[in-house]
Amino acid sequence: FGRWLRRKYLNGMLYSAEGIRSAKWRLFLMQTWIFFIKIIGAICVMTGCGGAGLAMGVSWKRRYVQLGQMQRSLRMLHGEIRYTGAELPEAIDQIALRQEKPFSDFYHGLSEQMRRMDGQSLKTLWQTEIEKCLNNTYLPKEDKQIFLESGSQLGYLDRQMQLTSLDACMAQIEDNRNMIRKNMEEKQKLSVALGLLSGFFIIILLI
């Protein structure tokens, strides 16, 4: 009986030791799994925040490009009025054929609206097409306001005053483009840095 009891006791100790080792192994696997999940989460957070910062920087560049499109379209309108002597509806028709999106859509829409002759002012038509065609661009409200001003007075002025008004608006656009060009690289770097820094703080809070 003593031999049987001793064997039972030793087997129990063996099973107990194996259970402890098994529990420790499961705990180790769980901790390792949690660690890898945190690492993957941290990478996702940093990538997302860095990408958001990069997108903000890219938006400045695209605003610069779209301001250039706006300026070229007004320069073409200026040339049509000055050198060809075209009336405003005819000049807008010609410009619509020589623009890229979104300004091709803007001038096409404006041309169609003017053909309808429904009694609305050119300012109203111009504003309607800005809201319709330039809503999903990278141009902020201040840029759209300059563009609105360029068209709001065309229907009320003689030819020389129209040219003067267009010159003033193109000068404002050029000032904005110069400001963006001067600060664009710095703002792009700052946007990416702020995005990464935000991701770093989020990781600290999560961990």
Side-chain angles (χ1 to χ4, degrees):
F1 176 77
R3 186 179 299 173
W4 177 85
L5 187 61
R6 189 164 52 253
R7 187 183 302 117
K8 197 74 173 176
Y9 175 74
L10 291 174
N11 287 339
M13 289 183 62
L14 179 61
Y15 293 148
S16 177
E18 289 178 352
I20 292 173
R21 284 197 297 271
S22 178
K24 287 183 176 179
W25 176 248
R26 287 196 297 270
L27 179 61
F28 171 76
L29 290 177
M30 184 179 298
Q31 290 174 337
T32 303
W33 177 247
I34 292 173
F35 173 76
F36 278 114
I37 289 176
K38 288 182 177 180
I39 291 296
I40 294 171
I43 293 173
C44 291
V45 169
M46 291 297 289
T47 302
C49 291
L54 182 62
M56 290 177 61
V58 169
S59 69
W60 277 81
K61 184 175 182 179
R62 293 186 177 176
R63 179 192 173 193
Y64 179 82
V65 170
Q66 289 179 344
L67 274 175
Q69 289 179 291
M70 180 191 295
Q71 188 179 44
R72 283 192 296 274
S73 74
L74 294 179
R75 190 177 292 118
M76 288 180 187
L77 182 57
H78 187 284
E80 288 289 332
I81 294 172
R82 181 175 182 179
Y83 297 111
T84 68
E87 295 297 327
L88 195 56
E90 182 183 350
I92 289 173
D93 278 337
Q94 292 299 316
I95 294 169
L97 299 174
R98 294 152 57 189
Q99 290 298 306
E100 299 177 356
K101 288 181 178 292
F103 290 94
S104 59
D105 294 338
F106 170 82
Y107 286 106
H108 277 300
L110 184 61
S111 177
E112 291 176 2
Q113 293 267 21
M114 293 178 72
R115 286 196 192 97
R116 291 174 187 169
M117 302 289 289
D118 56 4
Q120 297 186 73
S121 66
L122 180 59
K123 179 180 180 180
T124 301
L125 299 179
W126 200 281
Q127 184 170 9
T128 299
E129 291 304 317
I130 286 177
E131 293 172 354
K132 179 181 176 182
C133 301
L134 304 185
N135 191 40
N136 294 321
T137 64
Y138 291 89
L139 299 171
K141 185 177 180 179
E142 61 185 277
D143 294 338
K144 294 176 185 176
Q145 184 62 35
I146 295 173
F147 195 50
L148 175 61
E149 290 173 2
S150 70
S152 62
Q153 301 180 32
L154 293 178
Y156 305 101
L157 305 174
D158 60 30
R159 181 170 297 176
Q160 186 57 46
M161 291 297 291
Q162 288 177 355
L163 295 175
T164 302
S165 176
L166 288 173
D167 284 332
C169 290
M170 287 190 289
Q172 285 183 282
I173 294 171
E174 184 63 26
D175 287 342
N176 283 1
R177 295 189 81 217
N178 288 335
M179 181 271 295
I180 295 171
R181 182 169 56 242
K182 181 179 179 182
N183 300 320
M184 183 163 46
E185 184 176 354
E186 178 183 346
K187 287 185 179 294
Q188 286 177 330
K189 291 179 179 178
L190 181 61
S191 297
V192 174
L194 288 175
L196 293 174
L197 187 62
S198 299
F200 179 72
F201 280 122
I202 291 173
I203 291 171
I204 291 177
L205 291 175
L206 292 177
I207 294 178

